Amino acid sequence: MKSLTKLILMKSKDLPGLLINPFTRIAGWQAFGIGLASIVLMGFIGAYNGVAFDGVLDMHVGGDISILNSFLYIGIDMVSLIIVMWITGLIVSRNFRFVDILGTITLAKAPFLILAIAGYFVISPDTSEILKNPYIIFKSISLIVLLLLSLPVIIWNIVLIYNAFKISCDVKGN
């Protein structure tokens, strides 16, 4: 908790660097705790407003989703990503701790919380209407804004996953 307070109170000049690589300050169980809290929020918010995080870098809007399915999707995503990163870590570096992979990769998923919250404001056309006229999607301004917002969030997530792996496995260079 002490590190989290220090992270929040840091100078504004450090903020851009911490947004793309917070793992220089937070790792292990602490990163896992913060990441898990954001994932739990994503799961509840997503279930409530119909946003499904059903892929490592993916989300879908619309439709009813149960809380169980919401957490199942996120759980499968996280387990898949962590296993792939752990196996890659075993190949690339022998000197790392699994808890660092677990924590940093979990924290790297936090930007998707922005998309979960943005899902509250999306009005998605009915599926039957989309099948009749696919261009109806472009009439939903909120859906277009969400699509435009999702691109930087996904890029941010990829950068975080890369930096999480690089820091956790102590990989140097490219």
Side-chain angles (χ1 to χ4, degrees):
M1 193 63 166
K2 195 176 194 181
S3 271
L4 179 61
T5 307
K6 191 187 325 181
L7 178 68
I8 293 171
L9 297 175
M10 296 197 73
K11 297 177 185 172
S12 62
K13 69 178 181 175
D14 295 338
L15 189 60
L18 287 174
L19 285 175
I20 60 170
N21 195 2
F23 313 113
T24 57
R25 306 272 177 161
I26 298 174
W29 291 112
Q30 193 172 29
F32 179 70
I34 297 167
L36 189 61
S38 68
I39 286 173
V40 167
L41 281 172
M42 275 174 36
F44 281 117
I45 292 171
Y48 182 74
N49 63 15
V51 175
F53 296 97
D54 54 354
V56 172
L57 298 173
D58 191 19
M59 70 168 272
H60 288 99
V61 180
D64 291 330
I65 180 171
S66 68
I67 291 177
L68 177 64
N69 283 343
S70 179
F71 283 107
L72 257 161
Y73 292 150
I74 294 172
I76 291 168
D77 299 344
M78 292 308 300
V79 168
S80 301
L81 183 60
I82 289 167
I83 287 174
V84 167
M85 291 298 165
W86 177 64
I87 291 170
T88 306
L90 289 173
I91 294 168
V92 173
S93 171
R94 302 271 184 233
N95 189 19
F96 72 96
R97 299 181 317 157
F98 176 76
V99 68
D100 288 334
I101 291 279
L102 176 71
T104 56
I105 295 296
T106 304
L107 182 58
K109 192 74 169 175
F112 278 97
L113 187 56
I114 295 169
L115 297 179
I117 294 169
Y120 276 119
F121 307 105
V122 174
I123 300 167
S124 181
D126 189 43
T127 307
S128 62
E129 292 177 26
I130 295 172
L131 291 174
K132 290 177 188 173
N133 179 11
Y135 295 108
I136 200 166
I137 292 173
F138 297 112
K139 291 183 180 179
S140 174
I141 301 298
S142 60
L143 187 59
I144 293 171
V145 169
L146 181 67
L147 291 172
L148 293 175
L149 176 65
S150 67
L151 188 62
V153 169
I154 290 171
I155 291 169
W156 184 18
N157 180 249
I158 292 169
V159 169
L160 285 174
I161 289 170
Y162 171 79
N163 286 330
F165 181 76
K166 189 175 175 183
I167 294 288
S168 295
C169 293
D170 197 29
V171 177
K172 304 287 187 213
N174 293 330

